[in-house]
Amino acid sequence: MICLGIESTAHTFGVGIIDNKKVLSNEKTVYIPKKGFGIIPRDAAQHHSENGLEVLKNALTKANLKMGDIDIIAFSQGPGLPQCLRIGAVFARTLALKYNKPLIPVNHCVAHVEIGKFSTQSKDPVVLYLSGGNTQIIAFAGGRYRVFGETQDIPIGNALDMLARKMDLPMPGGPQIDKLALKGKYFELPYVVKGMDLSFTGLLTEAVKKYKQGVKSEDIAYSFQETCFAMLAEVTERAVAHTDKEEVLLTGGVAANKRLQEMLRIMCEERGAKFFVVPREYSGDNGLMIAVTGILHNKPISIEKSKIKQKWRVDEVDIHD
Ligand code: AMP
Ligand code: MG
């Protein structure tokens, strides 16, 4: 079974191809916003529509395949920015109709979890899913992925990007903050955990205020990371205790952060849990994660049912019907 997966929820347009469990290709192009701006949905969608075909061609060439060799076409149906989702959906529908292939809808958050499990061989982890658009602590229970904790306001990746922009750093901001933090010293920032949920806006406002007061960028970057990551580690630890699971998996774009990995590794060692991190090449949005999920949850839909689902939550997806 060969699956072609299409990702287009936000900044990335990606096409990945997998033959059962054998990765054949994973090509992408990433929209980078203008300096000082976040993602402008219309511009990102324009970028995807202008570059999508090239990405598809590259993915097929790398896999040494033609469209006729593909068995199923999977696409990110949501959640995401509607303008961007629509480009991927139109792309997938067009290919499915033209080449007469089954069309498989994939939930983008489930795909981040599945690529994490696929690439690390973890079996049944508590998943810390951290990206530009999402921050959730997820675990499989009773036939679906359930959310044990999540942000009540902005996602962690978004918070890091916004802080970087306020400090005049280029996008994406996460890696910039990561680098700066290596030279920073700690000062206290608001630590906001409410039950199993988290909040990052107060912390962001305070950090920006300190920057405007002249506190060094390095110290802000370090203290911001230490505070956010401690909050995330606390909630993850409680989810592990509550669910009795023996594995923790870190996935999504922010998983690339070494300090976050270190903090979670220590927490897992202390609890006797196994710790897994999605490899860097699969941590950010990509087409392969959609292809992997398309193979695992192969439930074709008609073109009529393929409308995008902008707010499709991970816990609304039936894994076993
Ligand atoms: P995604 O939405 O899953 O593609 O992830 C993108 C997010 O990951 C952006 O907010 C980036 O700033 C963030 N990111 C990427 N690398 C790092 C890093 N090393 N440390 C923290 N955040 C990162
Ligand atoms: Mg993502």
Side-chain angles (χ1 to χ4, degrees), residues 153-222:
D153 41 52
I154 54 172
I156 175 71
N158 192 222
L160 289 164
D161 290 341
M162 278 161 71
L163 178 64
R165 276 208 299 284
K166 294 284 182 192
M167 299 202 295
D168 220 20
L169 298 166
M171 289 283 283
Q176 306 288 333
I177 302 280
D178 191 0
K179 233 187 288 165
L180 266 182
L182 295 173
K183 290 177 265 164
K185 283 203 292 292
Y186 180 78
F187 65 88
E188 200 170 321
L189 282 167
Y191 181 102
V192 191
V193 173
K194 299 175 182 178
M196 288 293 281
D197 289 335
L198 309 124
S199 159
F200 299 105
T201 45
L203 176 58
L204 177 64
T205 305
E206 186 61 20
V208 172
K209 198 165 106 192
K210 291 279 190 238
Y211 177 70
K212 288 185 177 155
Q213 287 168 353
V215 175
K216 276 171 43 187
S217 305
E218 289 85 348
D219 295 349
I220 293 173
Y222 180 72

Side-chain angles (χ1 to χ4, degrees), residues 5 35 46 54 75 88 94 122 125 169 212 218 226 258 264:
K35 191 156 189 287
Q46 182 72 20
E54 187 70 23
F75 74 107
T94 308
S122 54
L169 298 166
K212 288 185 177 155
E218 289 85 348
E226 290 301 298
K258 290 278 185 290
L264 291 168

Side-chain angles (χ1 to χ4, degrees), residues 277-293:
V277 186
V278 70
R280 181 72 192 94
E281 61 183 315
Y282 303 141
S283 63
D285 294 350
N286 63 85
L288 185 71
M289 67 188 209
I290 308 303
V292 165
T293 311

Side-chain angles (χ1 to χ4, degrees), residues 7 9-11 108-109 112 129 131-134 252-253 283-286 289:
E7 161 58 31
T9 56
H11 42 63
H108 178 87
C109 310
H112 271 293
Y129 164 36
S131 69
N134 294 280
S283 63
D285 294 350
N286 63 85
M289 67 188 209

